[in-house]
Amino acid sequence: MTEPTTRPPSFAVISGEQVHEAIGGREVQVTRMVEAAYRLHGEGATVNPDSYFLRFPDRPSSRIIALPASVGGPVGVHGIKWISSFPENVADGLPRASAVLILNDAETGYPFACLESSIISAARTAASAALAATVLTGRRELRAGFFGVGLIARYLHTYLAANGFSFSALGVHDLDPGHAAGFKGYLERTETAPVTIHDKPEDLIRSSDLVVFATVAGEPHVADPDWFSHHPLVLHISLRDLAPEIILSSYNIVDDVDHCLKAGTSPHLAEQRTGNRDFVDGTLHDVLTGAAAPPADRTVVFSPFGLGVLDLAVARYVYDRVESSGGLRTVPGFFHELKRYG
């Protein structure tokens, strides 16, 4: 827990290695943490303002995003995630995304920890998707197709498997053949099901009961609703892959309506096309509480904008685990001016 307010506040730095140790192999626990955060959000026990996008005229594909948030209940923490997306990094052998997260004490407002957060971000994204898959389909053995094969796709596969999903077949599609081959190799090390690289997006989608979109697409590139005529479950993690025609012909679940329908996401484009939000059938909280139930005879699309409250819930879990293990590394004297009159 945080230091009592009667003592000088401390400040800790938690490395990516410590984050990995805290949550690695605990996918089910992290998924439950994310579910609890969704429930708190649906009950109004969170504050989740708009994300803030820092963009660059000379690098239009890159951005850094600030996600401030506050979570009440047993989490009881404020904070902010600062996450960058620089797709050109991949060509240089670096991951596309990097991130840090600051936790603030709920009583004093003092920041008490800075955590490496690319792992936290990937874990909460994967846990959110696995939770959605669990409640949006009654099937646990599926043909799964991964459209885009970066770090997020790997975490998604891990979290789906940990939450009880098995795969009779696996498909892979990526614009870069080398990346597709690399992800195929990863899957073959962890799965016994056959893995197929599909050169055509249509072939991947038509051969999958569960389609995972985890790309860096900035605008829709999949436009034919007929590709989804077999009514798969679509985890639309990257948010901008599907043309409005597909959104409008599907049963749509989002994590938060106001957050998801902005910034040029596929649901936002569908809203601009129709002038209304009638195509949104509910939120994940609605499904968790029984207020919405997906039909079996329509394509179901889950489009999560990615809520900062999820990052805070996972980060608090990590902080508490590191603290209880005795591994917390504080920075002596980080706060210096603590006497009002010197």
Side-chain angles (χ1 to χ4, degrees), residues 161-174:
N163 279 275
F165 286 90
S166 60
F167 310 104
S168 58
L170 291 151
V172 175
H173 174 77
D174 194 274

Side-chain angles (χ1 to χ4, degrees), residues 106-164:
E107 295 300 321
T108 67
Y110 267 82
F112 62 88
C114 175
L115 300 88
E116 196 285 331
S117 195
S118 65
I119 296 172
I120 290 172
S121 187
R124 68 84 152 143
T125 300
S128 168
L131 174 64
T134 300
V135 299
L136 291 173
T137 179
R139 301 175 61 183
R140 288 297 177 268
E141 182 174 351
L142 299 162
R143 300 171 300 162
F146 291 86
F147 201 127
V149 295
L151 177 72
I152 296 298
R154 175 161 60 84
Y155 270 76
L156 279 163
H157 167 259
T158 299
Y159 271 76
L160 287 167
N163 279 275

Side-chain angles (χ1 to χ4, degrees), residues 287-299:
V287 181
L288 288 169
T289 58
D297 60 349
R298 293 182 67 189
T299 297

Side-chain angles (χ1 to χ4, degrees), residues 248-259:
L248 296 173
S249 63
S250 301
Y251 184 89
N252 291 282
I253 297 295
V254 300
D255 54 355
D256 182 286
V257 177
D258 289 334
H259 283 80

Side-chain angles (χ1 to χ4, degrees), residues 227-250:
W227 294 3
F228 301 83
S229 59
H230 58 301
H231 305 313
L233 170 61
V234 179
L235 301 178
H236 188 210
I237 307 305
S238 35
L239 284 174
R240 295 171 178 84
D241 303 273
L242 304 178
E245 291 83 357
I246 295 171
I247 296 293
L248 296 173
S249 63
S250 301

